[in-house]
Amino acid sequence: MLKQGKLRYCFFIIYIIIVYTLCGCGTKADYEGKDLIDKAAAMHTEKESATIVVIDNLTGKSLQRIEYRFVGDVMQYMYTGEQEGKTYYEYNNGTELNFITIPDEKEWSFTSKGKEDFYSYSRIARHYFADGAQLFCDYEGAVKESKTIPFYDVNILRLYYDTDKLMEYSSLAAYGKFTKFVIDFSLDPETGECKRIRTKYTLENGEKADYTVTFLPREASEEIKRVEIE
């Protein structure tokens, strides 16, 4: 039986605001382009394989990367997360889980299917990055304006937010008061597939953030391999 788990090292906590925050109990609403986001989210969930990269646009650094594919019902993946000078690696092929934090650890840790500390993901018990409903959270009840901007090979659907209404989402309220919050969904004008999600925000204390989640194509037939650590 597959058991849904979570990454052992919580690199994703800091970036949860733009990577896979649950939409929570905010007000349901509609806006122009909402149907396009819902379509793109569904398309992502249906993918058999993908590579996803999270970049901090203020520093240019890669914060997270995951390559995954589904083999039958099982999700296989290789995840890398970077934070505060440390890099966490997690490899899961559905029967074996390997993980290591550099530079704290020198050797991989192992666990396997059947052991209490093992977990894996499936098409039902989905990993955050393979779940369009989480990755494409649009905080719909707080959208005050949407705008479509043609840009090279994509149409950018830009969402502007009422920062007071954002406080209805407990997952966001924990960060404090926002003075600006904008999300750009870069959509393929022909297929509707999402190529990038960019989130920019400013907090009342002056703190700013600017992240991009990029979706890259990947062949499902290509094997997921554990990275080599030198």
Side-chain angles (χ1 to χ4, degrees), residues 33-49:
K34 169 66 176 171
D35 58 325
L36 301 178
I37 302 303
D38 291 345
K39 177 183 176 181
M43 291 179 69
H44 179 72
T45 300
E46 292 171 359
K47 286 182 178 179
E48 291 294 308
S49 183

Side-chain angles (χ1 to χ4, degrees), residues 45-60:
T45 300
E46 292 171 359
K47 286 182 178 179
E48 291 294 308
S49 183
T51 297
I52 301 174
V53 181
V54 182
I55 300 292
D56 183 338
N57 296 314
L58 298 181
T59 64

